[in-house]
């Protein structure tokens, strides 16, 4: 069901120090990082932390696994029809990887939700 979950942080270095100790205790090592993101996990399930600019993200980010590109497209159109706010139309996100097909929505409470299909057939 879930591809990944991301929480916002207000102090990136403090969060890094904390989670670099806590997550390995659960068998979830640091998989990758950049200047604003940390990702921990095992296999295809990951947990992330992100700093957006100088302030923490509002709400939680949850990415749901989709069956195919059509499901991602349907998720996006249905979410908009139900009152969601577009936060990224369906498409390839090469900044994550070359087959990452996703769409992003802010729900009525401001939570960030995503549908993602890891399209390996390209």
């Amino acid at each position: 069901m879930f591809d990944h979950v991301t929480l916002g942080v207000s102090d990136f270095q403090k969060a890094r120090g904390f989670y670099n100790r806590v997550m390995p205790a659960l068998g979830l090592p640091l998989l990758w990082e950049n200047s604003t993101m940390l990702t921990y996990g095992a296999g295809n399930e990951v947990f992330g932390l992100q700093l957006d600019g100088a302030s923490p993200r509002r709400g939680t980010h949850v990415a749901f696994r989709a069956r195919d590109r059509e499901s991602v497209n349907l998720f996006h159109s249905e979410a908009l029809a139900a009152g969601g706010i577009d936060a990224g139309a369906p498409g390839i996100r090469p900044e994550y990887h070359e087959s990452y097909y996703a769409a992003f929505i802010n729900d009525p409470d401001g939570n960030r939700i995503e549908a993602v299909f890891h399209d390996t057939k390209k």
Side-chain angles (χ1 to χ4, degrees):
M1 173 188 304
F2 299 110
D3 188 81
H4 61 276
V5 175
T6 304
L7 301 180
V9 298
S10 60
D11 183 327
F12 188 75
Q13 292 306 319
K14 187 173 183 179
R16 186 179 190 283
F18 178 83
Y19 283 97
N20 276 355
R21 290 188 64 170
V22 171
M23 299 307 284
L26 298 173
L28 302 170
L30 178 66
L31 299 176
W32 65 269
E33 68 179 293
N34 64 29
S35 62
T36 62
M37 293 186 75
L38 300 167
T39 302
Y40 302 87
N44 292 327
E45 297 177 340
V46 297
F47 168 77
L49 302 161
Q50 182 171 11
L51 176 70
D52 283 341
S55 63
R57 297 172 64 143
R58 295 197 182 273
T60 300
H61 173 87
V62 177
F64 298 97
R65 284 198 184 115
R67 292 184 299 278
D68 49 35
R69 286 183 176 205
E70 293 76 22
S71 297
V72 172
N73 298 343
L74 184 60
F75 158 85
H76 188 259
S77 63
E78 289 296 316
L80 292 175
I85 298 169
D86 180 31
I92 291 288
R93 300 301 196 279
E95 63 270 27
Y96 301 128
H97 64 71
E98 66 183 18
S99 61
Y100 195 104
Y101 189 85
F104 301 85
I105 293 288
N106 291 339
D107 76 5
D109 286 308
N111 294 301
R112 292 173 167 88
I113 58 173
E114 171 188 353
V116 59
F117 175 62
H118 299 277
D119 188 358
T120 56
K121 292 184 264 181
K122 285 183 59 180

